[in-house]
Amino acid sequence: MSPTLDQVFAHASAVVMWGPPTEDHQVAFVTKNVSALGVSADDLTGGSLPYYSIVHGKDAGRLRRAFSGAMGGRDREIVMEYRLVSSDGTERWVEDRTVVERGADGGVTHYQGIVIDITERKLAEQGLQESEERNRRLLGRSFDARITHRDGKIIFANDTAARLIRAE
């Protein structure tokens, strides 16, 4: 017995979707594992929940422009990161890899895409960035001169080091 598509994607972090060539990013098919992002497959495909309504407000315009550009022929592929917001307000970061397919006449026939949950990676990146900023502030306040270099180029010098080398 071979597995169904839903069985294959049941525990995957990648959601597959496709839809017709509409500017509103209508979803005709989506794998049921989209529920891990806090959205029902039936709501998305049934038309009761437009895709853009689950895209974070700060990211929706950027996604609309990219999707519109691809539908209009400027690009064939969209690769971008943005946030989705579930009905309970939970935000999930996703990487969207969507391809616009065209017929022999050059007209758009449909789009197909994979949306991958990258929330854990984004949280790790944010934690690293915050840690680096804390370290930079601590080193900046140190009474000892602190200089960091990479390949012979100074990439960080605290105030004490700058005073010592008279670079202020």
Side-chain angles (χ1 to χ4, degrees), residues 140 157-168:
N158 68 359
D159 291 342
T160 305
R163 280 191 297 276
L164 283 174
I165 59 175
R166 302 190 200 297
E168 281 190 316

Side-chain angles (χ1 to χ4, degrees), residues 68-85:
S68 179
M71 289 299 201
R74 291 192 300 271
D75 302 308
R76 180 172 184 262
E77 183 178 20
I78 301 166
V79 178
M80 61 188 305
E81 297 176 357
Y82 55 88
R83 291 161 290 181
L84 296 179
V85 182

Side-chain angles (χ1 to χ4, degrees), residues 103-142:
D105 65 352
V108 176
T109 59
H110 65 283
Y111 73 87
Q112 56 191 11
I114 295 176
V115 176
I116 303 165
D117 186 344
I118 60 167
T119 303
E120 298 306 317
R121 185 187 88 201
K122 288 300 241 183
L123 291 174
E125 288 173 358
Q126 181 182 358
L128 179 60
Q129 192 174 33
E130 289 169 359
S131 175
E132 287 175 346
E133 184 58 35
R134 268 192 314 275
N135 287 340
R136 203 176 296 276
R137 281 194 310 267
L138 284 171
L139 289 174
R141 294 180 184 143
S142 174

Side-chain angles (χ1 to χ4, degrees), residues 26-127:
Q26 184 180 350
V27 178
F29 169 82
V30 64
T31 51
K32 291 190 185 319
N33 67 329
V34 73
S35 62
L37 298 174
V39 180
S40 158
D42 291 337
D43 286 344
L44 279 177
T45 59
S48 65
L49 187 66
Y51 188 76
Y52 287 121
S53 71
I54 64 171
V55 177
H56 192 284
K58 292 183 179 178
D59 300 329
R62 194 167 44 92
L63 178 60
R64 280 184 189 273
R65 286 188 298 279
F67 196 75
S68 179
M71 289 299 201
R74 291 192 300 271
D75 302 308
R76 180 172 184 262
E77 183 178 20
I78 301 166
V79 178
M80 61 188 305
E81 297 176 357
Y82 55 88
R83 291 161 290 181
L84 296 179
V85 182
S86 67
S87 58
D88 69 0
T90 304
E91 292 182 11
R92 304 296 298 177
W93 276 95
V94 296
E95 179 180 305
D96 185 337
R97 295 180 167 270
T98 297
V99 175
V100 173
E101 296 293 340
R102 300 184 184 286
D105 65 352
V108 176
T109 59
H110 65 283
Y111 73 87
Q112 56 191 11
I114 295 176
V115 176
I116 303 165
D117 186 344
I118 60 167
T119 303
E120 298 306 317
R121 185 187 88 201
K122 288 300 241 183
L123 291 174
E125 288 173 358
Q126 181 182 358

